[in-house]
Amino acid sequence: VNLTMLLVVLLTTYVLCTTANLQHDTSSVPAVEALLQRMIPESAQYFQLETLPPAEIDVFEFSASGGKATIKGSSGVAIASGVYWYLKYYCNCQVTWGVNGTGSNLRVPHPLPDAPHQRQSSTVPFRYAWNVCTFGYTATFWDWHRWEQEIDWMALHGVNFPLAFVGQEYIWYKVFSDYGLSMEDMAPFFSGPAFLPWQRMGNLRGWGGPLTLDWMAGQYKMQKRILSRMRSFGMKPILPCFAGHVPKTITKVFPKANLTKSSDWGPMPPKYCCDYILQPTDELYKTIGEKFLLEQAKEYGTDHYYNCDMYNEMHPPTTNHKYLHDSSKAVIDGIKVADPKGTWVMQGWLFHFAPWTYNNTKAYLSGVSDKDMIILDLDSEDGPLAFNYDNYFGKPWVWNLLHNFGGRRGVYGNLSNVANAPIVDKQRAGKGIIGYGITPEAIEQNPVVYELMMEMPWRHTAPNVNEWVQHYARQRYGVATHNTIRAWQALVNSAYGSKVEALDRIAFKPQCKLEKEGWDMTEFVSAWKYLVHALDDYTPNGPLLYDVVDVTSQALVNFWDDILNMLCWEYSEYVAGKVSNNQKTLSVISHLGAFMSSMISELDDLYGSNINYLLGVWLQKAAYKAHGNATLEQQYSFNAKNQITLWGPMGEIDDYAYKAWQGLTGDYNQQRWTFWLDNMYNSVKNGTKMDGPQVQQDLLYFGQKWDKSNKTYPAKPKGSTKTIAKRLLHEYTTMPNNYKKISDASVKGHNILSRAAWSKNVAQLAILCNMNPNCKGFSTDGWLKDDVSQTVKSGGSIYAKVQL
């Protein structure tokens, strides 16, 4: 009996232990179920979610039959990724950025389509998201609803390693308060909300401030919600650490603190330029670093990953190798004393700049062991910096797509490079690459680029881009028509087949500076036509209207640049004394100026028809954060406006973060160009030259006044995107009937452009020529002419104006 009982006990113990080993962590399943309820409530019940054994490298599986889909994953993020892969490739759905869901297509078929069993494994353990700057250029004024949407986006797109920088000022407030500093002492240190990323990196202090305790407390509460939601999916959020930046007033309580002012960053004036940095050799460095992390862990918990930057776009006080070694060692020591499991996740952006030679970089990185650091190679798509530094001398690193600067809206991104470079570079780097990620300075633009990039961690071979965009178009619009497929093929052959960012010259301070000719504009105009024609194929959804605004805007901006080219050529000829009749010059300036002004208004109307392109939405979010306090509302409005215009008190980073928004275009930019064009006209009328410095000073004064104004702008769209886009397409692509084609001909000289027109579309060249009273014709290679009477034989063609 005793032997029998012993066998029963042993068997029971074996079964219990075996069962325990087979049990999976199911804690993330409810998080994904809740995501489905938020995203597709009517279809959520048809998804069965299950867990797979946890693994260092995530994996997901899915299959579907009988109207139900089963999704399995090794983590919450993996399950969400499996859900999204099924929704994209079997339900023709998509989730991308757009106000109130206008960027997403979530018309899920009923019943759910069948799908054979599919298993996808990640090629890397880490899938990273965001840039320090994203918290300024995009997320400054987000509420919880918008953060919830973004964390859902991250989960669906496989992100398990997100940067989580909200709410750190509250922790610093507590740390500095404990040391005896008052809010008044801290006021010169903290910047305003829209400029916090650069204050956090030590680039500036105080600009746009003061930062109120109410703001800090609100962001503290937000961060707790953000981290809770991220962790519910199994993400490992990266929290901030101490990089030595402190208020100057720290010397009130630590009079012997060894402070050095950080090197100048940009042209910011002394009052706002550069934090003070505590020297890494000062014992206080480790003490403050430890105190900050302990306080942060008490409030937010920790997943043992920390990010901070000592020398972002700044020079260290010295390039002495021991000093550089000690600098990085001070950071990791501050982390380790508070969190022995801590890892420093460092942006590698600093290594783009002059001081960081091979040997200096090696010395700096030598202060941290390889196992205690992960480097974010921030813009790997342009060639990883890691390869300049022997794979960061053994430090593991993350391959990242940067792509966007300042949140500037334009249609660009080399999809072929995105599809191939991560795989090629990983083969070259060997075990060095441990993750892929996205590091745009701002999101909510060019969703196609990020949809492709976020698939790459799950792909072991490069996709065929032409085939991939056909799937993309079907997922985005819910249907595939001749027009949508042809539009995306043309986009891949133009804007999305090049690294060139076609800047919006309308959004820059007026001057005779032209964009370099970029990708094939003729092909892009074809894409524009197909996309607008697709509006009649079916009732357009939000993503199609979103894309129509983007592509129409880019087409008009490029065309406007060609008008500016003609204008500046005419004025330069006048300034050089080559014009015998000023009245002809005045006529050209008057005609071209009128067209330029009209196009700005037309673009403003286009932007105004779609909620994703409204200045009023940005300002409304800023005002909401003031909670009815008129003083704070004025301050936050100023922050919001200054960031996208002057970027500093004196236009220090003028127009770097411009946006293609209604209100900003039709008011701010229209007024600037009208003023500049009037000055040009009057200078010719008076036989003088424009006073360049005075004009720029007047434009600065206007910008300062505009940033402080209380003028409001619509936060709701007006007009029909479809109607406006169709009208603009007809207006700027219909061939005028006052031209005669002369084949196999060219004209030497007689150009009225400083460079060939960007557009080589014959109709657009004819429209350009008709705008200029001096233009008599044009060549098909983009040169407008003031005389086409003397032709020579060549392989091209000339179009000559004729009298009707």
Side-chain angles (χ1 to χ4, degrees), residues 512 567 570-572 574-576 582-583 585-586 589 674-692 695:
C512 278
L567 178 81
E570 187 69 27
Y571 187 71
S572 68
Y574 160 77
V575 170
N582 285 1
Q583 290 302 313
T585 299
L586 286 173
I589 293 173
T674 298
F675 173 80
W676 186 78
L677 289 165
D678 287 346
N679 268 269
M680 177 182 284
Y681 183 90
N682 289 330
S683 70
V684 176
K685 182 179 179 181
N686 298 327
T688 60
K689 299 177 183 178
M690 277 199 293
D691 185 343
V695 169

PDB file of all heavy atoms in Angstrom, residues 512 567 570-572 574-576 582-583 585-586 589 674-692 695:
ATOM      1  N   CYS A 512      15.148  83.431 -53.317  1.00  0.00           N
ATOM      2  CA  CYS A 512      15.389  82.762 -54.597  1.00  0.00           C
ATOM      3  C   CYS A 512      16.311  81.572 -54.387  1.00  0.00           C
ATOM      4  O   CYS A 512      17.482  81.569 -54.760  1.00  0.00           O
ATOM      5  CB  CYS A 512      15.987  83.735 -55.615  1.00  0.00           C
ATOM      6  SG  CYS A 512      14.747  84.755 -56.422  1.00  0.00           S
ATOM      7  N   LEU A 567      10.521  83.127 -62.045  1.00  0.00           N
ATOM      8  CA  LEU A 567      10.517  84.444 -61.408  1.00  0.00           C
ATOM      9  C   LEU A 567      11.929  84.873 -61.031  1.00  0.00           C
ATOM     10  O   LEU A 567      12.347  86.010 -61.302  1.00  0.00           O
ATOM     11  CB  LEU A 567       9.627  84.404 -60.168  1.00  0.00           C
ATOM     12  CG  LEU A 567       9.565  85.705 -59.360  1.00  0.00           C
ATOM     13  CD1 LEU A 567       8.582  86.674 -60.008  1.00  0.00           C
ATOM     14  CD2 LEU A 567       9.153  85.425 -57.918  1.00  0.00           C
ATOM     15  N   GLU A 570      14.107  85.812 -63.989  1.00  0.00           N
ATOM     16  CA  GLU A 570      13.790  87.146 -64.513  1.00  0.00           C
ATOM     17  C   GLU A 570      14.387  88.227 -63.630  1.00  0.00           C
ATOM     18  O   GLU A 570      14.970  89.207 -64.123  1.00  0.00           O
ATOM     19  CB  GLU A 570      12.270  87.316 -64.598  1.00  0.00           C
ATOM     20  CG  GLU A 570      11.818  88.597 -65.296  1.00  0.00           C
ATOM     21  CD  GLU A 570      12.116  88.606 -66.792  1.00  0.00           C
ATOM     22  OE1 GLU A 570      12.177  87.509 -67.385  1.00  0.00           O
ATOM     23  OE2 GLU A 570      12.283  89.703 -67.350  1.00  0.00           O
ATOM     24  N   TYR A 571      14.264  88.071 -62.310  1.00  0.00           N
ATOM     25  CA  TYR A 571      14.786  89.088 -61.403  1.00  0.00           C
ATOM     26  C   TYR A 571      16.308  89.113 -61.426  1.00  0.00           C
ATOM     27  O   TYR A 571      16.918  90.194 -61.360  1.00  0.00           O
ATOM     28  CB  TYR A 571      14.280  88.833 -59.979  1.00  0.00           C
ATOM     29  CG  TYR A 571      14.657  89.944 -59.020  1.00  0.00           C
ATOM     30  CD1 TYR A 571      14.048  91.194 -59.109  1.00  0.00           C
ATOM     31  CD2 TYR A 571      15.619  89.743 -58.038  1.00  0.00           C
ATOM     32  CE1 TYR A 571      14.391  92.225 -58.237  1.00  0.00           C
ATOM     33  CE2 TYR A 571      15.972  90.763 -57.158  1.00  0.00           C
ATOM     34  CZ  TYR A 571      15.353  91.997 -57.272  1.00  0.00           C
ATOM     35  OH  TYR A 571      15.698  93.017 -56.416  1.00  0.00           O
ATOM     36  N   SER A 572      16.942  87.962 -61.549  1.00  0.00           N
ATOM     37  CA  SER A 572      18.406  87.930 -61.599  1.00  0.00           C
ATOM     38  C   SER A 572      18.930  88.611 -62.859  1.00  0.00           C
ATOM     39  O   SER A 572      19.976  89.254 -62.836  1.00  0.00           O
ATOM     40  CB  SER A 572      18.913  86.489 -61.536  1.00  0.00           C
ATOM     41  OG  SER A 572      18.576  85.763 -62.700  1.00  0.00           O
ATOM     42  N   TYR A 574      17.456  91.136 -64.296  1.00  0.00           N
ATOM     43  CA  TYR A 574      17.298  92.557 -63.986  1.00  0.00           C
ATOM     44  C   TYR A 574      18.447  93.058 -63.109  1.00  0.00           C
ATOM     45  O   TYR A 574      19.061  94.097 -63.381  1.00  0.00           O
ATOM     46  CB  TYR A 574      15.956  92.794 -63.306  1.00  0.00           C
ATOM     47  CG  TYR A 574      15.878  94.094 -62.535  1.00  0.00           C
ATOM     48  CD1 TYR A 574      15.709  95.320 -63.198  1.00  0.00           C
ATOM     49  CD2 TYR A 574      15.996  94.092 -61.148  1.00  0.00           C
ATOM     50  CE1 TYR A 574      15.657  96.506 -62.484  1.00  0.00           C
ATOM     51  CE2 TYR A 574      15.940  95.279 -60.426  1.00  0.00           C
ATOM     52  CZ  TYR A 574      15.782  96.482 -61.095  1.00  0.00           C
ATOM     53  OH  TYR A 574      15.742  97.667 -60.387  1.00  0.00           O
ATOM     54  N   VAL A 575      18.742  92.312 -62.037  1.00  0.00           N
ATOM     55  CA  VAL A 575      19.808  92.711 -61.115  1.00  0.00           C
ATOM     56  C   VAL A 575      21.151  92.771 -61.837  1.00  0.00           C
ATOM     57  O   VAL A 575      21.985  93.643 -61.554  1.00  0.00           O
ATOM     58  CB  VAL A 575      19.871  91.737 -59.912  1.00  0.00           C
ATOM     59  CG1 VAL A 575      21.116  91.978 -59.061  1.00  0.00           C
ATOM     60  CG2 VAL A 575      18.621  91.877 -59.051  1.00  0.00           C
ATOM     61  N   ALA A 576      21.376  91.859 -62.778  1.00  0.00           N
ATOM     62  CA  ALA A 576      22.640  91.815 -63.519  1.00  0.00           C
ATOM     63  C   ALA A 576      22.726  92.878 -64.600  1.00  0.00           C
ATOM     64  O   ALA A 576      23.749  92.978 -65.289  1.00  0.00           O
ATOM     65  CB  ALA A 576      22.823  90.425 -64.124  1.00  0.00           C
ATOM     66  N   ASN A 582      12.401  97.611 -68.217  1.00  0.00           N
ATOM     67  CA  ASN A 582      11.914  97.200 -66.899  1.00  0.00           C
ATOM     68  C   ASN A 582      10.432  96.873 -66.890  1.00  0.00           C
ATOM     69  O   ASN A 582       9.956  96.105 -66.049  1.00  0.00           O
ATOM     70  CB  ASN A 582      12.193  98.294 -65.868  1.00  0.00           C
ATOM     71  CG  ASN A 582      13.658  98.351 -65.483  1.00  0.00           C
ATOM     72  OD1 ASN A 582      14.459  97.589 -66.001  1.00  0.00           O
ATOM     73  ND2 ASN A 582      13.994  99.261 -64.571  1.00  0.00           N
ATOM     74  N   GLN A 583       9.671  97.435 -67.809  1.00  0.00           N
ATOM     75  CA  GLN A 583       8.239  97.165 -67.856  1.00  0.00           C
ATOM     76  C   GLN A 583       7.955  95.707 -68.171  1.00  0.00           C
ATOM     77  O   GLN A 583       7.016  95.123 -67.636  1.00  0.00           O
ATOM     78  CB  GLN A 583       7.567  98.071 -68.900  1.00  0.00           C
ATOM     79  CG  GLN A 583       7.522  99.541 -68.494  1.00  0.00           C
ATOM     80  CD  GLN A 583       6.792  99.731 -67.161  1.00  0.00           C
ATOM     81  OE1 GLN A 583       5.712  99.184 -66.927  1.00  0.00           O
ATOM     82  NE2 GLN A 583       7.395 100.527 -66.277  1.00  0.00           N
ATOM     83  N   THR A 585       9.922  93.247 -67.309  1.00  0.00           N
ATOM     84  CA  THR A 585      10.230  92.535 -66.069  1.00  0.00           C
ATOM     85  C   THR A 585       9.084  92.678 -65.082  1.00  0.00           C
ATOM     86  O   THR A 585       8.686  91.705 -64.422  1.00  0.00           O
ATOM     87  CB  THR A 585      11.537  93.057 -65.457  1.00  0.00           C
ATOM     88  OG1 THR A 585      12.606  92.841 -66.370  1.00  0.00           O
ATOM     89  CG2 THR A 585      11.854  92.362 -64.144  1.00  0.00           C
ATOM     90  N   LEU A 586       8.548  93.897 -64.961  1.00  0.00           N
ATOM     91  CA  LEU A 586       7.410  94.116 -64.061  1.00  0.00           C
ATOM     92  C   LEU A 586       6.212  93.265 -64.467  1.00  0.00           C
ATOM     93  O   LEU A 586       5.503  92.718 -63.611  1.00  0.00           O
ATOM     94  CB  LEU A 586       7.029  95.591 -64.051  1.00  0.00           C
ATOM     95  CG  LEU A 586       7.966  96.540 -63.304  1.00  0.00           C
ATOM     96  CD1 LEU A 586       7.539  97.992 -63.526  1.00  0.00           C
ATOM     97  CD2 LEU A 586       7.959  96.216 -61.804  1.00  0.00           C
ATOM     98  N   ILE A 589       6.934  89.657 -63.331  1.00  0.00           N
ATOM     99  CA  ILE A 589       6.809  89.525 -61.873  1.00  0.00           C
ATOM    100  C   ILE A 589       5.343  89.580 -61.465  1.00  0.00           C
ATOM    101  O   ILE A 589       4.892  88.803 -60.612  1.00  0.00           O
ATOM    102  CB  ILE A 589       7.615  90.622 -61.155  1.00  0.00           C
ATOM    103  CG1 ILE A 589       9.113  90.410 -61.389  1.00  0.00           C
ATOM    104  CG2 ILE A 589       7.308  90.639 -59.663  1.00  0.00           C
ATOM    105  CD1 ILE A 589       9.983  91.530 -60.856  1.00  0.00           C
ATOM    106  N   THR A 674       3.536  87.141 -50.175  1.00  0.00           N
ATOM    107  CA  THR A 674       2.961  88.385 -50.697  1.00  0.00           C
ATOM    108  C   THR A 674       3.870  89.569 -50.389  1.00  0.00           C
ATOM    109  O   THR A 674       4.137  90.418 -51.263  1.00  0.00           O
ATOM    110  CB  THR A 674       1.565  88.621 -50.091  1.00  0.00           C
ATOM    111  OG1 THR A 674       0.689  87.556 -50.479  1.00  0.00           O
ATOM    112  CG2 THR A 674       0.985  89.950 -50.571  1.00  0.00           C
ATOM    113  N   PHE A 675       4.372  89.620 -49.163  1.00  0.00           N
ATOM    114  CA  PHE A 675       5.290  90.690 -48.767  1.00  0.00           C
ATOM    115  C   PHE A 675       6.560  90.663 -49.612  1.00  0.00           C
ATOM    116  O   PHE A 675       7.029  91.696 -50.106  1.00  0.00           O
ATOM    117  CB  PHE A 675       5.647  90.528 -47.283  1.00  0.00           C
ATOM    118  CG  PHE A 675       6.711  91.463 -46.792  1.00  0.00           C
ATOM    119  CD1 PHE A 675       6.397  92.773 -46.463  1.00  0.00           C
ATOM    120  CD2 PHE A 675       8.037  91.040 -46.656  1.00  0.00           C
ATOM    121  CE1 PHE A 675       7.378  93.653 -46.024  1.00  0.00           C
ATOM    122  CE2 PHE A 675       9.017  91.909 -46.218  1.00  0.00           C
ATOM    123  CZ  PHE A 675       8.701  93.217 -45.900  1.00  0.00           C
ATOM    124  N   TRP A 676       7.118  89.504 -49.812  1.00  0.00           N
ATOM    125  CA  TRP A 676       8.362  89.365 -50.565  1.00  0.00           C
ATOM    126  C   TRP A 676       8.159  89.721 -52.044  1.00  0.00           C
ATOM    127  O   TRP A 676       8.970  90.421 -52.641  1.00  0.00           O
ATOM    128  CB  TRP A 676       8.857  87.928 -50.418  1.00  0.00           C
ATOM    129  CG  TRP A 676      10.207  87.650 -51.015  1.00  0.00           C
ATOM    130  CD1 TRP A 676      11.425  87.966 -50.495  1.00  0.00           C
ATOM    131  CD2 TRP A 676      10.464  86.965 -52.248  1.00  0.00           C
ATOM    132  NE1 TRP A 676      12.433  87.508 -51.321  1.00  0.00           N
ATOM    133  CE2 TRP A 676      11.861  86.891 -52.400  1.00  0.00           C
ATOM    134  CE3 TRP A 676       9.658  86.395 -53.229  1.00  0.00           C
ATOM    135  CZ2 TRP A 676      12.473  86.278 -53.499  1.00  0.00           C
ATOM    136  CZ3 TRP A 676      10.260  85.781 -54.321  1.00  0.00           C
ATOM    137  CH2 TRP A 676      11.645  85.728 -54.449  1.00  0.00           C
ATOM    138  N   LEU A 677       7.070  89.250 -52.624  1.00  0.00           N
ATOM    139  CA  LEU A 677       6.783  89.550 -54.028  1.00  0.00           C
ATOM    140  C   LEU A 677       6.540  91.042 -54.234  1.00  0.00           C
ATOM    141  O   LEU A 677       6.977  91.624 -55.241  1.00  0.00           O
ATOM    142  CB  LEU A 677       5.567  88.747 -54.495  1.00  0.00           C
ATOM    143  CG  LEU A 677       5.784  87.234 -54.669  1.00  0.00           C
ATOM    144  CD1 LEU A 677       4.443  86.507 -54.773  1.00  0.00           C
ATOM    145  CD2 LEU A 677       6.649  86.959 -55.900  1.00  0.00           C
ATOM    146  N   ASP A 678       5.857  91.677 -53.282  1.00  0.00           N
ATOM    147  CA  ASP A 678       5.649  93.127 -53.372  1.00  0.00           C
ATOM    148  C   ASP A 678       6.978  93.870 -53.326  1.00  0.00           C
ATOM    149  O   ASP A 678       7.178  94.858 -54.052  1.00  0.00           O
ATOM    150  CB  ASP A 678       4.745  93.604 -52.233  1.00  0.00           C
ATOM    151  CG  ASP A 678       3.297  93.209 -52.426  1.00  0.00           C
ATOM    152  OD1 ASP A 678       2.928  92.795 -53.549  1.00  0.00           O
ATOM    153  OD2 ASP A 678       2.517  93.312 -51.451  1.00  0.00           O
ATOM    154  N   ASN A 679       7.888  93.423 -52.484  1.00  0.00           N
ATOM    155  CA  ASN A 679       9.201  94.056 -52.403  1.00  0.00           C
ATOM    156  C   ASN A 679       9.970  93.898 -53.704  1.00  0.00           C
ATOM    157  O   ASN A 679      10.640  94.835 -54.150  1.00  0.00           O
ATOM    158  CB  ASN A 679      10.007  93.448 -51.240  1.00  0.00           C
ATOM    159  CG  ASN A 679       9.845  94.212 -49.943  1.00  0.00           C
ATOM    160  OD1 ASN A 679      10.613  95.129 -49.645  1.00  0.00           O
ATOM    161  ND2 ASN A 679       8.825  93.844 -49.178  1.00  0.00           N
ATOM    162  N   MET A 680       9.876  92.711 -54.299  1.00  0.00           N
ATOM    163  CA  MET A 680      10.557  92.496 -55.573  1.00  0.00           C
ATOM    164  C   MET A 680       9.979  93.409 -56.652  1.00  0.00           C
ATOM    165  O   MET A 680      10.725  94.074 -57.395  1.00  0.00           O
ATOM    166  CB  MET A 680      10.424  91.025 -56.005  1.00  0.00           C
ATOM    167  CG  MET A 680      11.051  90.724 -57.358  1.00  0.00           C
ATOM    168  SD  MET A 680      10.835  88.994 -57.866  1.00  0.00           S
ATOM    169  CE  MET A 680      12.053  88.184 -56.828  1.00  0.00           C
ATOM    170  N   TYR A 681       8.665  93.471 -56.726  1.00  0.00           N
ATOM    171  CA  TYR A 681       8.010  94.307 -57.733  1.00  0.00           C
ATOM    172  C   TYR A 681       8.389  95.776 -57.553  1.00  0.00           C
ATOM    173  O   TYR A 681       8.760  96.470 -58.525  1.00  0.00           O
ATOM    174  CB  TYR A 681       6.490  94.135 -57.629  1.00  0.00           C
ATOM    175  CG  TYR A 681       5.715  94.902 -58.681  1.00  0.00           C
ATOM    176  CD1 TYR A 681       5.407  94.318 -59.897  1.00  0.00           C
ATOM    177  CD2 TYR A 681       5.283  96.208 -58.438  1.00  0.00           C
ATOM    178  CE1 TYR A 681       4.693  95.022 -60.863  1.00  0.00           C
ATOM    179  CE2 TYR A 681       4.581  96.915 -59.390  1.00  0.00           C
ATOM    180  CZ  TYR A 681       4.284  96.318 -60.610  1.00  0.00           C
ATOM    181  OH  TYR A 681       3.590  97.025 -61.569  1.00  0.00           O
ATOM    182  N   ASN A 682       8.320  96.260 -56.316  1.00  0.00           N
ATOM    183  CA  ASN A 682       8.600  97.674 -56.056  1.00  0.00           C
ATOM    184  C   ASN A 682      10.062  98.027 -56.306  1.00  0.00           C
ATOM    185  O   ASN A 682      10.373  99.150 -56.725  1.00  0.00           O
ATOM    186  CB  ASN A 682       8.213  98.035 -54.623  1.00  0.00           C
ATOM    187  CG  ASN A 682       6.702  98.044 -54.426  1.00  0.00           C
ATOM    188  OD1 ASN A 682       5.948  98.325 -55.361  1.00  0.00           O
ATOM    189  ND2 ASN A 682       6.258  97.722 -53.222  1.00  0.00           N
ATOM    190  N   SER A 683      10.969  97.075 -56.057  1.00  0.00           N
ATOM    191  CA  SER A 683      12.377  97.369 -56.315  1.00  0.00           C
ATOM    192  C   SER A 683      12.623  97.570 -57.806  1.00  0.00           C
ATOM    193  O   SER A 683      13.374  98.463 -58.206  1.00  0.00           O
ATOM    194  CB  SER A 683      13.266  96.243 -55.775  1.00  0.00           C
ATOM    195  OG  SER A 683      13.124  95.053 -56.524  1.00  0.00           O
ATOM    196  N   VAL A 684      11.976  96.748 -58.646  1.00  0.00           N
ATOM    197  CA  VAL A 684      12.121  96.912 -60.091  1.00  0.00           C
ATOM    198  C   VAL A 684      11.436  98.199 -60.550  1.00  0.00           C
ATOM    199  O   VAL A 684      11.961  98.966 -61.366  1.00  0.00           O
ATOM    200  CB  VAL A 684      11.541  95.696 -60.831  1.00  0.00           C
ATOM    201  CG1 VAL A 684      11.592  95.910 -62.351  1.00  0.00           C
ATOM    202  CG2 VAL A 684      12.291  94.422 -60.446  1.00  0.00           C
ATOM    203  N   LYS A 685      10.269  98.462 -59.998  1.00  0.00           N
ATOM    204  CA  LYS A 685       9.532  99.686 -60.348  1.00  0.00           C
ATOM    205  C   LYS A 685      10.349 100.935 -60.046  1.00  0.00           C
ATOM    206  O   LYS A 685      10.324 101.913 -60.807  1.00  0.00           O
ATOM    207  CB  LYS A 685       8.213  99.713 -59.581  1.00  0.00           C
ATOM    208  CG  LYS A 685       7.327 100.901 -59.891  1.00  0.00           C
ATOM    209  CD  LYS A 685       6.034 100.829 -59.093  1.00  0.00           C
ATOM    210  CE  LYS A 685       5.132 102.024 -59.372  1.00  0.00           C
ATOM    211  NZ  LYS A 685       3.882 101.949 -58.578  1.00  0.00           N
ATOM    212  N   ASN A 686      11.106 100.878 -58.926  1.00  0.00           N
ATOM    213  CA  ASN A 686      11.903 102.035 -58.509  1.00  0.00           C
ATOM    214  C   ASN A 686      13.331 102.011 -59.031  1.00  0.00           C
ATOM    215  O   ASN A 686      14.137 102.893 -58.705  1.00  0.00           O
ATOM    216  CB  ASN A 686      11.933 102.123 -56.978  1.00  0.00           C
ATOM    217  CG  ASN A 686      10.546 102.336 -56.389  1.00  0.00           C
ATOM    218  OD1 ASN A 686       9.697 102.987 -57.001  1.00  0.00           O
ATOM    219  ND2 ASN A 686      10.308 101.760 -55.200  1.00  0.00           N
ATOM    220  N   GLY A 687      13.649 100.955 -59.802  1.00  0.00           N
ATOM    221  CA  GLY A 687      14.989 100.865 -60.363  1.00  0.00           C
ATOM    222  C   GLY A 687      16.054 100.565 -59.326  1.00  0.00           C
ATOM    223  O   GLY A 687      17.216 100.935 -59.496  1.00  0.00           O
ATOM    224  N   THR A 688      15.679  99.873 -58.262  1.00  0.00           N
ATOM    225  CA  THR A 688      16.623  99.524 -57.195  1.00  0.00           C
ATOM    226  C   THR A 688      16.669  98.009 -57.037  1.00  0.00           C
ATOM    227  O   THR A 688      16.049  97.276 -57.807  1.00  0.00           O
ATOM    228  CB  THR A 688      16.201 100.170 -55.871  1.00  0.00           C
ATOM    229  OG1 THR A 688      14.884  99.698 -55.517  1.00  0.00           O
ATOM    230  CG2 THR A 688      16.162 101.692 -55.996  1.00  0.00           C
ATOM    231  N   LYS A 689      17.410  97.569 -56.035  1.00  0.00           N
ATOM    232  CA  LYS A 689      17.454  96.152 -55.690  1.00  0.00           C
ATOM    233  C   LYS A 689      16.790  95.940 -54.332  1.00  0.00           C
ATOM    234  O   LYS A 689      16.792  96.837 -53.492  1.00  0.00           O
ATOM    235  CB  LYS A 689      18.904  95.649 -55.627  1.00  0.00           C
ATOM    236  CG  LYS A 689      19.667  95.768 -56.934  1.00  0.00           C
ATOM    237  CD  LYS A 689      21.113  95.313 -56.739  1.00  0.00           C
ATOM    238  CE  LYS A 689      21.920  95.487 -58.021  1.00  0.00           C
ATOM    239  NZ  LYS A 689      23.346  95.105 -57.840  1.00  0.00           N
ATOM    240  N   MET A 690      16.223  94.768 -54.149  1.00  0.00           N
ATOM    241  CA  MET A 690      15.640  94.451 -52.850  1.00  0.00           C
ATOM    242  C   MET A 690      16.714  94.525 -51.767  1.00  0.00           C
ATOM    243  O   MET A 690      17.842  94.074 -51.968  1.00  0.00           O
ATOM    244  CB  MET A 690      15.033  93.040 -52.849  1.00  0.00           C
ATOM    245  CG  MET A 690      13.641  92.965 -53.408  1.00  0.00           C
ATOM    246  SD  MET A 690      12.753  91.436 -52.885  1.00  0.00           S
ATOM    247  CE  MET A 690      13.672  90.181 -53.721  1.00  0.00           C
ATOM    248  N   ASP A 691      16.344  95.126 -50.644  1.00  0.00           N
ATOM    249  CA  ASP A 691      17.233  95.160 -49.485  1.00  0.00           C
ATOM    250  C   ASP A 691      17.074  93.838 -48.749  1.00  0.00           C
ATOM    251  O   ASP A 691      16.224  93.701 -47.862  1.00  0.00           O
ATOM    252  CB  ASP A 691      16.867  96.350 -48.585  1.00  0.00           C
ATOM    253  CG  ASP A 691      17.820  96.520 -47.410  1.00  0.00           C
ATOM    254  OD1 ASP A 691      18.550  95.570 -47.103  1.00  0.00           O
ATOM    255  OD2 ASP A 691      17.801  97.592 -46.780  1.00  0.00           O
ATOM    256  N   GLY A 692      17.901  92.861 -49.127  1.00  0.00           N
ATOM    257  CA  GLY A 692      17.765  91.513 -48.591  1.00  0.00           C
ATOM    258  C   GLY A 692      17.743  91.443 -47.077  1.00  0.00           C
ATOM    259  O   GLY A 692      16.814  90.862 -46.497  1.00  0.00           O
ATOM    260  N   VAL A 695      14.500  92.934 -45.705  1.00  0.00           N
ATOM    261  CA  VAL A 695      13.352  92.064 -45.985  1.00  0.00           C
ATOM    262  C   VAL A 695      13.327  90.896 -45.011  1.00  0.00           C
ATOM    263  O   VAL A 695      12.273  90.557 -44.454  1.00  0.00           O
ATOM    264  CB  VAL A 695      13.401  91.556 -47.443  1.00  0.00           C
ATOM    265  CG1 VAL A 695      12.377  90.441 -47.657  1.00  0.00           C
ATOM    266  CG2 VAL A 695      13.128  92.701 -48.418  1.00  0.00           C
TER     267      VAL A 695
END
